[in-house]
Amino acid sequence: MSKKTEQIYKALSALEDLQSQISIINQLAKTKNSSEISESEWAEESRHLETIEFEMAQNLKSLRFWIGSLYSYNGKSTSNAKARASKENGKKGGRPPKEITDMKKRRTELESLLEEARREKITTTDFEKEEKLNREIAEYEKERSEIEEKLEKWNEEKKLF
């Protein structure tokens, strides 16, 4: 059993013990009438409950820490296969910046918008709508060519490294 797992079970066991102590104190308090309990006994039970409460808080804090550290390594791997794959991807330039990925997505969107607008332009009989579609097509083509230029520039810069 790992140290982390052992510490988690230890904290859980301590919390269960404290819970049973609180249960016993509550049962005793129910069986005694308030007149039967002296102030010193009441103060002692109160201090005991405060101690239990403090210990439970400490154990909960410890439990949170160990569970957090137990699962902090999820998704991380140092296997040889992953290391080799990472090196190979790095040789290819690695993952492109988000800006480049977004430009590629927008280029794909523009291509489908252009196709749709051209198809609609061919089928329309309304002159005003055709003019509007011509303006849209020109805007889409302009934006697409700007994206293409930026992507080409990025590819050239990437080749230099």
Side-chain angles (χ1 to χ4, degrees):
M1 185 180 317
S2 73
K3 180 180 178 182
K4 292 175 185 176
T5 307
E6 186 179 316
Q7 289 295 329
I8 290 171
Y9 282 125
K10 188 176 176 182
L12 285 171
S13 176
L15 287 171
E16 288 170 347
D17 289 344
L18 293 172
Q19 181 187 15
S20 67
Q21 287 180 30
I22 289 174
S23 178
I24 291 168
I25 290 172
N26 280 336
Q27 287 175 357
L28 288 173
K30 286 178 186 175
T31 57
K32 295 180 181 178
N33 290 334
S34 59
S35 61
E36 293 177 6
I37 300 175
S38 68
E39 283 187 34
S40 62
E41 287 178 329
W42 184 252
E44 186 180 329
E45 284 184 14
S46 179
R47 277 193 304 274
H48 187 61
L49 283 173
E50 288 173 1
T51 304
I52 292 173
E53 180 182 8
F54 176 77
E55 288 177 15
M56 283 183 79
Q58 291 297 100
N59 280 299
L60 284 170
K61 188 175 181 180
S62 172
L63 189 59
R64 281 191 201 98
F65 170 79
W66 286 110
I67 287 175
S69 68
L70 181 66
Y71 297 112
S72 68
Y73 294 103
N74 280 0
K76 296 179 184 179
S77 178
T78 55
S79 70
N80 291 335
K82 280 195 175 187
R84 278 193 308 273
S86 178
K87 285 179 186 177
E88 287 299 315
N89 287 335
K91 289 177 187 176
K92 296 175 187 174
R95 182 179 294 187
K98 182 166 176 29
E99 178 185 353
I100 300 301
T101 305
D102 290 345
M103 278 194 272
K104 288 179 179 179
K105 286 179 184 175
R106 180 61 181 159
R107 179 180 59 184
T108 304
E109 289 173 7
L110 287 171
E111 287 170 358
S112 71
L113 289 171
L114 275 167
E115 185 180 318
E116 187 178 313
R118 287 179 181 140
R119 193 178 317 117
E120 192 173 340
K121 179 185 166 192
I122 292 170
T123 59
T124 189
T125 57
D126 185 3
F127 182 73
E128 289 178 11
K129 189 171 185 176
E130 187 176 341
E131 286 299 313
K132 180 183 172 194
L133 288 169
N134 283 334
R135 285 191 301 272
E136 284 179 6
I137 290 170
E139 288 175 20
Y140 293 154
E141 287 176 341
K142 180 182 175 191
E143 186 180 353
R144 186 180 66 176
S145 66
E146 290 172 356
I147 288 173
E148 288 294 336
E149 288 174 15
K150 289 178 183 177
L151 289 174
E152 284 177 28
K153 184 179 175 183
W154 179 75
N155 280 328
E156 291 298 319
E157 290 174 359
K158 189 172 116 178
K159 287 178 184 176
L160 293 176
F161 295 107

